[in-house]
Amino acid sequence: MAPLGIGLIGTGYMGKCHALAWNAVKTVFGDVERPRLVHLAEANDDLAHARAVEFGFEKATADWRALVADPEVDVVSVTTPNQFHAEMAIAALEAGKHVWCEKPMAPAYADAERMLKAAKAANKVAILGYNYIQNPIIRHIKTLISEGAIGVVNHIRVEMDEDFMADPDTFFYWKSELSAGYGALDDFAVHPLSLLWYLFGHAEAVIADMAKPYADRPLKEGGRRPVENHDAANVLMRLGGGISAVLMANRAAWGRKGRIALQLYGSSGSITFDQERMNEFELYQADRRTTEQGFRKILAAPAHRPYDRFIPAPGHGLGFNDLKIIECRELIRAISGEPSSIVTFEDGLRIEKSVHAMAQSYHQRRWIEIA
Ligand SMILES: NC(=O)c1ccc[n+]([C@@H]2O[C@H](COP(=O)([O-])OP(=O)(O)OC[C@H]3O[C@@H](n4cnc5c(N)ncnc54)[C@H](O)[C@@H]3O)[C@@H](O)[C@H]2O)c1
């Protein structure tokens, strides 16, 4: 395959993460062509040019449409705030580009549907940034579950918490706007949903509650603005196979920095994992002698593929940005027509359907079945 020409829209938290991944994917995996970093777009010219130099892109623009129209660009990374995803991803697909769009697809379900429609019409690879499924530890947990290491899983608890909205004096910014989505549900809950989908399948029924810890926030320019969405959510869910699940998400949980804590309970054992300690998991197997029963902590090691592509030594650990490099490799695999482990727009839409069902359930105060 010829080297892929890359376009990157947005250079904030996720934009830099995508840029690191595009820069590193050849070095880490070896068996791919080194991508060509062609075109970068930001909100203004100065920032675009500065970031293009830092990230190693050839061209810079303040007009993302010029990037999308660039014939040298084959893949577009969309890393802008949620409300821009639909317009940018659809334009890129209509221009014949593959798309790697950050989660969630779009605040409005109809826009997410349009994104899937555009991907199908273009017949291009369109995936979402659900990097947590790429953790070699999560992949191994999937293998253990399929091998029956903890029997038949019947109950799951998952919590996703951070504290970047915990301070009531944090300035109002786009994440508190209703145009960006429901808040904890589409900003956070989608990640645990991607993990549950990867390990077990999509939610079949949900009932949710949402909470708004702070009614308003200060504005940088002075005054205050009402918070338009909910920073916390609690959800009961039913998955296939009769699995009951609890999902809790909170962007205002002091002390939590990157918690995605999974507890999986099966008929013959349990598994626990927390993204804050992403290089380990705990396994409890009930077939051990009672004198030695207890959770065993297992550290990430080269045998948990593709950890071996990064480091030959066990226990040294991968980081968040490495998950994006693995996701990037999977995207290239998909573009080459090889089997890959990615969240396509099709599965992403189903995740978003679950999120909208949760919001609907909160407003109607009842269980919602998801078709
Ligand atoms: N996968 C993950 O783990 C993860 C983590 C954080 C954020 N995200 C997602 O990534 C997306 C971006 O979040 P972020 O935290 O990086 O935001 P951010 O605010 O750090 O970065 C957004 C960038 O987009 C730029 N931008 C805005 N409008 C633009 C335009 N018209 N043209 C070009 N650039 C423009 C901004 O200037 C900014 O640099 C969101 O959808 C968010 O949900 C995903």
Side-chain angles (χ1 to χ4, degrees), residues 89-147:
I90 290 170
L93 287 161
E94 285 176 351
K97 318 295 184 191
H98 305 288
V99 171
W100 185 10
C101 181
E102 269 312 316
K103 49 57 61 178
M105 291 173 87
Y109 188 71
D111 286 337
E113 278 184 316
R114 288 196 301 118
M115 289 167 78
L116 175 58
K117 207 171 151 200
K120 283 186 172 164
N123 198 22
K124 292 287 165 183
V125 174
I127 75 159
L128 293 156
Y130 281 111
N131 26 276
Y132 296 112
I133 70 163
Q134 306 296 346
N135 188 336
I137 290 286
I138 293 293
R139 287 190 183 181
H140 188 64
I141 289 173
K142 185 176 171 69
T143 303
L144 285 174
I145 290 165
S146 66
E147 288 173 355

Side-chain angles (χ1 to χ4, degrees), residues 9-15 41-43 47 51 62 64 79-82 84-85 88 102-104 129-132 174-175 187 191 320 324:
I9 312 179
T11 65
Y13 172 15
M14 274 305 110
E42 246 302 341
L47 189 56
R51 288 285 153 82
W64 63 267
T79 71
T80 46
N82 306 351
F84 301 118
H85 292 181
M88 292 173 174
E102 269 312 316
K103 49 57 61 178
Y130 281 111
N131 26 276
Y132 296 112
W174 65 265
K175 285 212 172 193
D187 195 18
H191 279 302
F320 175 88
K324 238 6 179 203

